[in-house]
Amino acid sequence: MAERTESNQSAPDERQPARGRPRDAGRDRALLEATVQVLQESGYGGLTTAAVAKRAGVSTATLYRRWRSKEDLVVGTAVRWASDLGPQPDTGSLEGDLASLLRDKAETLEGPGGRLLHVLIGEAAHNEALARVLDDAIIQPVRDRAATVVRRAVDRGDIPPLEDAHVLADLVVGSMVSRLFLTPDAAHRAAPATPSSPSSGAAMARELLPFLLRALGAQPG
């Protein structure tokens, strides 16, 4: 029997009331982790639900009770892994708030969410559903948090008002994705090569902080 990997093929209706035992959160997590691993190895075009199910140690029927297609599975994985930026602390200064945002984004990009983004950037260029969810799960949370950082800084008088508070998110996402994904040698050079040194992302966040502060019209403390 051909595998159901396209979103327009028949599948269980997720809107129907659940029957039987409740879903196992551990099994869900195993499937999501397996999806990231298979994507890294095979890319979106080479990913199959059978390969994901095998990697997770479950049947394809178990997978299809959760996601109706390959696309649904990848979208669900992106939503799960890519949006977690952590809390939004008010540190009392623009430098502190921005440093926290950069650290959280670096951790996200170096974790499963970043690996997923790296694989799917090309696919999203011609897959509207994936492009939409990557924007919702990766870009918009950063834009919202960056706008909060800017508004606090303006209210404190740290920087002059910006016409678009979301421009900070473009600077954060663009610079970090470029340095970590498109020029990885630069990211490695930014991190000291010792066992106890911070990750490339953490070192990159520290390196970018003074430049972003100046771009916003502030100076490092």
Side-chain angles (χ1 to χ4, degrees):
M1 181 181 295
E3 182 184 30
R4 296 172 293 179
T5 60
E6 300 298 330
S7 58
N8 61 351
Q9 291 176 310
S10 60
D13 187 349
E14 293 183 348
R15 294 172 298 178
Q16 293 178 348
R19 296 187 176 90
R21 292 178 296 177
R23 281 170 51 158
D24 183 341
R27 189 166 293 176
D28 287 355
R29 184 180 181 88
L31 283 163
L32 295 174
E33 290 175 344
T35 302
V36 174
Q37 293 166 4
V38 175
L39 278 170
Q40 281 189 277
E41 295 170 1
S42 305
Y44 183 83
L47 180 142
T48 66
T49 51
V52 171
K54 181 178 180 181
R55 179 68 60 89
V58 303
S59 67
T60 53
T62 296
L63 185 152
Y64 283 124
R65 282 197 291 271
R66 291 156 169 78
W67 295 280
R68 295 174 293 180
S69 67
K70 164 181 169 175
E71 185 175 89
D72 285 348
L73 172 63
V74 173
V75 166
T77 303
V79 170
R80 166 62 182 84
W81 286 113
S83 63
D84 183 14
L85 280 175
Q88 301 186 36
D90 183 351
T91 66
S93 72
L94 172 61
E95 183 170 359
D97 287 354
L98 183 53
S100 176
L101 172 61
L102 287 168
R103 285 194 302 269
D104 285 351
K105 192 58 186 173
E107 290 177 3
T108 298
L109 290 176
E110 290 192 310
R115 296 198 297 271
L116 183 65
L117 174 62
H118 203 178
V119 172
L120 295 183
I121 283 176
E123 183 65 28
H126 50 83
N127 186 315
E128 183 178 351
L130 290 179
R132 185 169 56 252
V133 77
L134 289 179
D135 180 61
D136 290 343
I138 295 173
I139 305 301
Q140 291 307 319
V142 182
R143 286 175 65 84
D144 293 341
R145 181 164 169 183
T148 299
V149 168
V150 169
R151 283 193 291 268
R152 286 174 182 163
V154 171
D155 290 343
R156 287 191 298 258
D158 294 342
I159 58 174
L162 297 181
E163 183 175 341
D164 182 3
H166 290 99
V167 71
L168 174 59
D170 298 330
L171 295 173
V172 170
V173 175
S175 57
M176 297 199 80
V177 167
S178 175
R179 298 297 296 277
L180 290 172
F181 291 170
L182 304 182
T183 54
D185 288 344
H188 289 306
R189 287 196 300 270
T194 64
S196 61
S197 66
S199 68
S200 296
M204 192 64 60
R206 198 167 52 243
E207 182 182 277
L208 289 171
L209 179 59
F211 293 97
L212 294 179
L213 287 170
R214 293 188 183 99
L216 292 171
Q219 293 293 328

